[in-house]
Amino acid sequence: MEMNYRAENRQLTISLAGELDHHAARGLMESIDRCIEQNLPVKTILDMGGLTFMDSSGIAVVLRARRRMEALAGSLVVVNIPRQAARVLETAGLGRYVNLI
Amino acid sequence: MTRTTNYITFEFLSRSANEGFARGAVACFAAQLDPTLEELGDIKTAVSEAVTNAIVHAYPDTLGKIVVKAKILEGNILEVTVRDWGKGIADVEQARKPLYTTGGEERSGMGFTIMESFMDKLTVRSAEGKGTRVTMRRRILPRPASK
Ligand SMILES: Nc1ncnc2c1ncn2[C@@H]1O[C@H](COP(=O)(O)OP(=O)(O)O)[C@@H](O)[C@H]1O
Ligand SMILES: [Mg+2]
């Protein structure tokens, strides 16, 4: 699991690559928390384009990032979702909670 | 009874580092059924959910044994069994409900729901203090295309 980010004008883009499972999720959640705390963005874009696998552990990651953004009165958008990850998010009915693009 | 034409069995310690190995091994074995990428993705996801549950919930404060068996049954059916000898589930019906979790903020409660919707059939047998056995089946649709 790999995470990269770019912050510009209080917009934070976090790019994920590799396999997002429970093993990867704990460290990733902490990294995302830290990243949001340091940059205090008004908008965070979670780019899933590089993910080769995601299970329900990814749902918890997305929901937590969304809560962190809500606490800052900001928003979270998830983009470039690969097909397999999209099936997991859809099964969880997540389209209702975050903006999936 | 459906005839088993091939199977593999492997055992590992409930360390989260083994999650990728477990789903990958089952996916490699399933490849002989000539699944589509989407079918393979579904199988990997369901196996990941079952194995993660054994790692996270069956052995919350210890390390324990997990055994995975994958079988090919007549009729292009893949059957995967994930077994642990951990805590067990007091109320399986409740545990299978969407969003039900005892795992807190780090879990979503969607594991069983995903196994159920990504596979054709899901059976859960569990006894408190003895362990859990999750069995899933998925028929791989035969593809007429290339030989
Ligand atoms: N192998 C297992 N051993 C003990 N308890 C389990 C096992 N698998 C599932 N459970 C219980 O069932 C609940 C629901 O599981 P699941 O749908 O995968 O959601 P999650 O893993 O996100 O909690 C778990 O929170 C746990 O209480
Ligand atoms: Mg689970």
Side-chain angles (χ1 to χ4, degrees):
Chain A
M1 171 93 248
E2 216 182 285
M3 179 198 128
N4 287 296
Y5 73 93
R6 192 177 71 237
E8 232 170 20
N9 302 325
R10 301 198 65 195
Q11 175 166 308
L12 176 67
T13 304
I14 298 176
S15 308
L16 307 179
E19 307 211 323
L20 204 186
D21 60 7
H22 153 260
H23 181 65
R26 186 168 298 178
L28 178 62
M29 283 186 191
E30 282 170 14
S31 304
I32 292 178
D33 281 2
R34 227 177 306 123
C35 202
I36 290 176
E37 272 163 37
Q38 281 169 3
N39 293 287
L40 300 174
V42 276
K43 183 177 179 185
T44 292
I45 299 167
L46 195 58
D47 186 340
M48 292 194 164
L51 285 186
T52 51
F53 176 81
M54 189 189 91
D55 65 16
S56 73
S57 310
I59 297 170
V61 171
V62 170
L63 290 179
R64 171 138 145 187
R66 176 177 157 265
R67 273 195 301 276
R68 292 289 182 273
M69 287 310 297
E70 275 179 346
L72 299 175
S75 62
L76 176 78
V77 183
V78 187
V79 301
N80 293 328
I81 310 168
R83 198 175 162 79
Q84 183 269 337
R87 271 173 65 67
V88 170
L89 294 172
E90 274 161 22
T91 306
L94 228 67
R96 285 179 288 140
Y97 298 102
V98 287
N99 289 316
L100 303 177
I101 294 178
Chain B
M1 271 319 271
T2 328
R3 206 165 66 90
T4 302
T5 58
N6 195 7
Y7 73 84
I8 55 163
T9 307
F10 56 94
E11 176 187 322
F12 55 96
L13 198 58
S14 62
R15 287 197 186 277
S16 62
N18 293 327
E19 290 160 7
F21 165 78
R23 64 177 175 265
V26 173
C28 281
F29 177 73
Q32 64 196 282
L33 289 170
D34 194 25
T36 60
L37 272 183
E38 178 149 337
E39 287 168 329
L40 214 50
D42 286 358
I43 291 163
K44 258 185 157 172
T45 313
V47 171
S48 196
E49 296 298 341
V51 166
T52 301
N53 279 354
I55 289 170
V56 176
H57 304 299
Y59 305 110
D61 320 299
T62 47
L63 288 170
K65 178 169 90 167
I66 298 172
V67 171
V68 174
K69 183 163 194 159
K71 282 187 197 174
I72 288 169
L73 308 178
E74 230 163 40
N76 253 35
I77 294 163
L78 177 78
E79 182 182 275
V80 183
T81 304
V82 178
R83 208 172 159 196
D84 68 66
W85 288 263
K87 237 174 92 168
I89 304 171
D91 185 343
V92 170
E93 201 189 323
Q94 179 187 43
R96 287 179 66 153
K97 290 208 170 102
L99 301 177
Y100 177 83
T101 180
T102 55
E105 213 208 19
E106 281 191 4
R107 311 300 322 152
S108 64
M110 291 306 293
F112 279 132
T113 306
I114 286 171
M115 291 180 239
E116 220 160 75
S117 51
F118 284 29
M119 302 296 266
D120 297 327
K121 195 180 164 197
L122 171 72
T123 315
V124 183
R125 279 190 55 194
S126 191
E128 253 187 306
K130 290 199 172 149
T132 302
R133 183 203 313 235
V134 172
T135 306
M136 304 175 276
R137 276 191 190 186
R138 172 80 188 252
R139 190 169 105 87
I140 304 303
L141 299 176
R143 280 194 285 172
S146 56
K147 261 261 144 115

